[in-house]
């Protein structure tokens, strides 16, 4: 049975060994060691081919009319990539939102953003199966987590809408993680790593050919690393942003018959870390802000104590903090090569995902002292809190996909059709608790019974916001009331969201001649989403005299059952021209679609939102050059027209008396840009790669709905007309210079490389709406070094060393935009990391 071709692949696309570091279509460069070959009696250098699966079949990268970035496993290790945030640093046009720390990272490509409580705009696939869905109420799941970045064939970042073959929710693009498949050789490795921040990592992989028909592969990745955020409060863990996980993977290939193959993957993850809180960076001195005085008192306290003022210092006042992920998944591929012109492939998957978290998202230390003394009251602002017995995400995902591949008309037509079904449902009620302007007794905050919560209204204590209170305090101090609005409240919203997604698709490429080809694809998607929550809202009194914590004045339960349906056609038309070998030019139009969904946090009718649509136009070229200095150059120019944009719209609910957010189809935006990359082998010992992206994004139109029926005050959209899309740098650059040291062959192979990464300034939140001087994040550059010594002195050992962020650059990855409330907070980029690895190959 021919194992080198996927169903539908052309014969001349036979797979070649992946280069040690790749060239990529708009991708990162490799630490490639050029391969010397004799051609017509002369020594010549060539770039090895890279095989990708961007069109659900194996093809040479340079033959695929898609802008793609590719990282193989060696590059992933060299750059110390262990999570989604690390990946975005080294892929132009790819960025992330780290609002909820490293375990809740959200991808975006070419400016296609994902607001909180919307579905993904970038699909993440492991072994061709979409990542398990997480929670609707916070960022979790839907991506690449810890433990996914080991023993991979490669990671492919597909840029631009991929709605025909990969479905809805890929308006930005798709990220494909391809694990290594069991082979017919007994082989493997054991690898140990160590470094600063007490890095300890152990990997082990073994490949076992049981027989000619059965091949097995097992791998484990266990890593721990001390956090780089220093907790200076003396309460809770010493460090945050640590790493602590164990991932296991097992896969089996069984040749049932000569033409029938069964490939099964089991993956399991147990991650336990201290979470990644934000850092308090500035106070708003303007009079009248609710938390400005408390922020200034917080900084004054830290200064008096002589700690908490360093860039990586954070403050924690929670006795127990954590971010935990438990997940497992089974994936099965069954491939039947019916004949040379027809293959059938069935993909089946079941996954369970749980996430629990309890930590101070904002890392503040806000206290309020009562008027006549008494113990200071702790204000738990910006926390995520898992109540006892309930996770912040808890869901199962079932996927079934049936694909047919084939060729016809003497292989001038390559085609594929398929059916897709996905079902996600909660395993149990999930959801985190939130506090609105309260001081609370922390020991009661995780109690599932709201009558046991003990808090005090902070709004009354500050005397800045009117609110209703029991007792005589409000009248005694002349604080007016605002009917129906309760500022001092705690909300707990147990519930869940169920997704049903069905689709049918077809795509084909017709080759008119050796020079001309056209590809057309069509997909119909039908989505149904429904959610439920029985939100418990407890309202508390305030005491301006002696402070203290009190039981709630009242407890209400607000039950909501939002549901919505959406269906959409998406399509692709692509014209390819290949005038000569090594030259590919293409023009492409693609229709993208992000499904409508529900929002458990909003009031009817704003608890549902409609689909978001994208028209994308792209022109590109992929060029390969031979000769004394073989090279590749890939260029893409594109324009995106985004309509019915799903935007977050914050408001104060008159129905429930709490602050919350709606998702509304309020905007249209335009994005145009340029992406290019190139790789050149300067000599048989020196290679250089450059990748660059330019993005011009603008919100063109913002038509906000009238929320007056549910929002008596405080409406705020997340962006404004004429501004950039969030977290989208205008310029992003990556360059790598790799040098193979001229040592004797008996010494082994030594490659040293330096990588430079530049990320331009970008907008974290709307500067005009927040008034914050901090939401425009500064640009930053990173320098990485790595050294690989393969086959040390002719032995089966490999040695590697790496340094990331060599200059110890300090930079922000996200700023909240809370300036109007009196302070500003940020998520921080990683400091300098260094380490070394020793691998034994067998």
């Amino acid at each position: 049975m021919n194992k080198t071709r996927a169903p539908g692949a052309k014969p001349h696309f036979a797979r070649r060994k992946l280069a040690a570091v790749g060239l990529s279509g708009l991708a990162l460069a490799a630490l490639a060691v050029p391969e010397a070959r004799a051609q017509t009696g002369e020594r010549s250098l060539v770039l090895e081919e890279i095989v990708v699966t961007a069109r659900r079949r194996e093809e040479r990268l340079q033959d695929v009319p898609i802008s793609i970035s590719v990282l193989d496993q060696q590059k992933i290790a060299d750059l110390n990539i262990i999570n989604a945030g690390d990946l975005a640093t080294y892929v132009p046009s790819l960025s992330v939102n780290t609002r909820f720390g490293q375990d809740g990272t959200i991808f975006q490509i070419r400016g296609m953003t994902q607001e909180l409580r919307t579905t993904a705009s970038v699909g993440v696939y492991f072994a061709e199966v979409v990542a398990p869905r997480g929670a609707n109420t916070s960022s979790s799941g839907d991506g690449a987590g810890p433990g996914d970045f080991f023993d991979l064939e490669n990671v492919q970042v597909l840029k631009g809408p991929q709605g025909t073959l990969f479905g809805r929710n890929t308006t930005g693009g798709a990220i494909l993680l391809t694990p290594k498949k069991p082979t017919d050789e007994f082989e493997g490795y054991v690898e140990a790593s160590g470094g600063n921040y007490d890095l300890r990592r152990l990997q082990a992989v073994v490949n076992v050919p049981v027989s000619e028909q059965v091949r097995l592969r097992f791998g484990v990745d266990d890593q721990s690393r001390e956090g780089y955020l220093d907790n200076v409060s003396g309460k809770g863990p010493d460090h945050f942003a640590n790493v602590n996980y164990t991932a296991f993977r097992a896969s089996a290939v069984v040749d049932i018959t000569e033409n029938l193959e069964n490939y099964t993957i089991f993956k399991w993850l147990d991650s336990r870390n201290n979470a990644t809180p934000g850092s308090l960076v500035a106070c708003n001195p303007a009079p009248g802000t609710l938390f400005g005085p408390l922020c200034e008192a917080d900084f004054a306290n830290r200064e008096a104590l002589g700690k908490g003022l360093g860039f990586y210092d954070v403050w924690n006042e929670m006795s127990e903090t954590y971010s935990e992920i438990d997940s497992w998944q089974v994936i099965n591929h069954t491939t039947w090569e019916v004949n040379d012109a027809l293959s059938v492939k069935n993909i089946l998957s079941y996954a369970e995902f749980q996430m629990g978290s309890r930590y101070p998202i904002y890392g503040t230390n806000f206290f309020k002292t009562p008027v006549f003394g008494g113990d200071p009251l702790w204000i738990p602002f910006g926390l995520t809190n898992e109540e006892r017995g309930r996770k912040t995400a808890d869901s199962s995902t079932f996927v079934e996909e049936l694909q047919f591949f084939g060729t016809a008309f003497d292989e001038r037509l390559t085609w594929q059709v398929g059916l897709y079904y996905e079902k996600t449902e909660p395993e149990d009620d999930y959801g985190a608790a939130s506090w609105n302007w309260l001081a609370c007794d922390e020991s009661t905050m995780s109690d599932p019974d709201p009558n046991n919560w003990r808090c005090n209204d902070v709004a009354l204590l500050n005397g800045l916001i009117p609110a209703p209170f029991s007792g005589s305090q409000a009248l005694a101090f002349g604080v007016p009331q605002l009917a129906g609005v309760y500022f001092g409240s705690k909300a707990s919203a147990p519930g869940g969201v169920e997704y049903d997604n069905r689709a049918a698709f077809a795509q084909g490429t017709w080759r008119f001649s050796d020079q001309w080809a056209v590809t057309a694809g069509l997909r119909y998607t039908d989505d149904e989403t429904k959610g439920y929550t029985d939100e418990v809202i407890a309202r508390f009194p305030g005491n301006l005299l002696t402070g203290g914590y009190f039981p709630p004045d009242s407890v209400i339960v607000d039950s909501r059952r939002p549901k919505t349906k959406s269906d959409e056609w998406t399509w692709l038309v692509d014209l390819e021209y290949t005038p000569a070998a090594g030259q590919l030019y293409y023009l492409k139009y693609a229709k993208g679609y992000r499904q409508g969904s529900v929002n458990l946090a909003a009031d009817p009718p704003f608890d549902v939102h409609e689909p978001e649509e994208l028209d994308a136009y792209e022109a590109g070229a992929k060029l390969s050059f031979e000769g004394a200095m073989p090279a590749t150059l890939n260029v893409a120019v594109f324009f995106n027209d985004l309509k019915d944009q799903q935007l977050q719209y914050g408001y104060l609910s008159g129905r429930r008396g709490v602050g919350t957010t709606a998702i509304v189809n309020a905007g249209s935006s335009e994005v145009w840009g340029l992406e290019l990359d190139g790789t050149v082998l300067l000599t048989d010992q020196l290679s250089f790669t450059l990748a660059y992206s330019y993005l011009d994004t603008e919100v063109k139109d913002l038509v906000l709905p009238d929320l007056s029926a549910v929002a008596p005050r405080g409406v705020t959209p997340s962006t404004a007309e004429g501004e950039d899309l969030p977290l989208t740098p205008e310029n992003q650059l990556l360059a790598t210079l790799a040098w193979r040291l001229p040592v004797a062959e008996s010494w082994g192979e030594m490659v040293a490389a330096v990588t430079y990464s530049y990320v331009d300034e970008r907008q974290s939140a709307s500067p005009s709406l927040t008034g914050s001087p901090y939401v425009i994040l500064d640009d930053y550059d990173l320098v990485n070094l790595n050294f690989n010594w393969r086959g040390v002195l002719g032995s089966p050992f490999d040695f590697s060393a790496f340094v990331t962020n060599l200059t110890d650059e300090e930079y922000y990855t996200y700023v909240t935009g809370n300036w109007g409330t009196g302070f500003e907070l940020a998520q921080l980029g990683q400091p300098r990391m260094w380490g070394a690895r020793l691998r034994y190959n067998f």
Side-chain angles (χ1 to χ4, degrees), residues 566-604:
S566 60
D567 62 289
E568 193 71 34
W569 291 93
T570 53
W571 56 82
L572 165 76
V573 178
D574 170 72
L575 179 64
E576 304 169 36
Y577 175 53
T578 310
Q583 298 181 38
L584 170 64
Y585 303 91
Y586 64 90
L587 294 172
K588 180 168 60 177
Y589 164 72
K591 180 78 171 181
Y593 153 70
R594 185 152 63 118
Q595 72 177 96
S597 189
V598 303
N599 175 12
L600 295 182
D603 299 279

Side-chain angles (χ1 to χ4, degrees), residues 138 189 222 248 268 300 373 385 452 468 477 501 513 563 601 681 712 814:
S138 63
Y189 67 87
D222 182 85
F248 172 76
W268 172 86
N385 188 73
N452 294 332
F477 285 86
N501 307 100
S513 66
K563 61 180 179 180
L681 302 186
Y814 182 81

Side-chain angles (χ1 to χ4, degrees), residues 512-735:
F512 296 98
S513 66
D514 291 341
Q515 288 78 38
W516 291 96
V518 63
T519 298
L522 184 68
R523 188 183 188 104
Y524 173 75
T525 304
D526 180 75
D527 299 306
E528 181 177 358
T529 309
K530 54 185 178 182
Y532 68 92
T533 182
D534 296 305
E535 184 176 24
V536 179
I537 302 169
R539 297 161 173 171
F540 294 87
N543 187 326
L544 283 174
L545 303 177
T546 58
Y549 301 119
F550 312 103
D553 273 346
S554 62
V555 176
I556 66 170
V557 177
D558 187 64
S559 298
R560 302 186 295 280
R561 301 292 186 268
K563 61 180 179 180
T564 186
K565 291 184 177 181
S566 60
D567 62 289
E568 193 71 34
W569 291 93
T570 53
W571 56 82
L572 165 76
V573 178
D574 170 72
L575 179 64
E576 304 169 36
Y577 175 53
T578 310
Q583 298 181 38
L584 170 64
Y585 303 91
Y586 64 90
L587 294 172
K588 180 168 60 177
Y589 164 72
K591 180 78 171 181
Y593 153 70
R594 185 152 63 118
Q595 72 177 96
S597 189
V598 303
N599 175 12
L600 295 182
D603 299 279
F606 300 103
D607 52 357
V608 298
H609 50 275
E610 297 301 313
E612 181 179 83
E613 297 182 10
L614 176 71
D615 291 293
Y617 308 86
E618 183 173 330
K622 293 193 170 185
L623 308 175
S624 301
F625 306 94
E626 298 180 355
M629 291 192 297
T632 61
L633 176 63
N634 302 322
V635 181
V637 179
F638 58 88
F639 173 77
N640 290 345
D641 185 11
L642 181 64
K643 300 182 180 70
D644 297 321
Q645 189 172 351
Q646 297 170 2
L647 294 175
Q648 186 171 298
Y649 198 13
Y651 69 97
L652 181 62
S653 170
R655 181 167 177 258
R656 293 174 285 143
V658 298
T660 187
T661 56
I663 300 298
V664 295
N665 297 95
S668 63
S669 296
E670 292 182 355
V671 179
W672 74 272
L674 166 71
E675 295 166 337
L676 63 85
D677 81 295
T679 298
V680 57
L681 302 186
L682 301 171
T683 69
D684 62 354
Q685 296 173 333
L686 197 62
S687 67
F688 176 73
T689 301
L690 178 72
Y692 169 76
S693 68
Y694 172 82
L695 292 174
D696 183 286
T697 69
E698 184 180 0
V699 178
K700 302 296 291 186
D701 191 28
L702 201 59
V703 181
L704 298 172
D706 181 8
L707 294 183
S708 59
V710 296
R713 59 185 293 172
V715 292
T716 307
S718 59
T719 189
E721 288 184 12
E723 293 185 349
D724 295 339
L725 291 171
L727 300 171
T728 304
E730 188 173 64
N731 296 282
Q732 196 169 352
L733 174 71
L734 188 91

Side-chain angles (χ1 to χ4, degrees), residues 55-73:
R55 295 197 287 189
R56 309 300 295 267
R57 64 181 189 265
E58 292 183 348
E59 299 176 275
R60 287 192 329 122
L61 174 64
Q62 293 299 95
D63 293 331
V64 181
I66 298 175
S67 178
I68 311 174
S69 294
V70 182
L71 294 81
D72 70 354
Q73 185 61 63

Side-chain angles (χ1 to χ4, degrees), residues 13 84 138 161 207 229 318 323 356-357 393 441 495 529 549 582 622 633 707 733 767 791 801 807 815:
F13 286 159
S138 63
N207 189 94
L229 298 179
M318 299 184 74
S323 177
S357 56
D441 178 354
T529 309
Y549 301 119
K622 293 193 170 185
L633 176 63
L707 294 183
L733 174 71
T807 60
V815 170

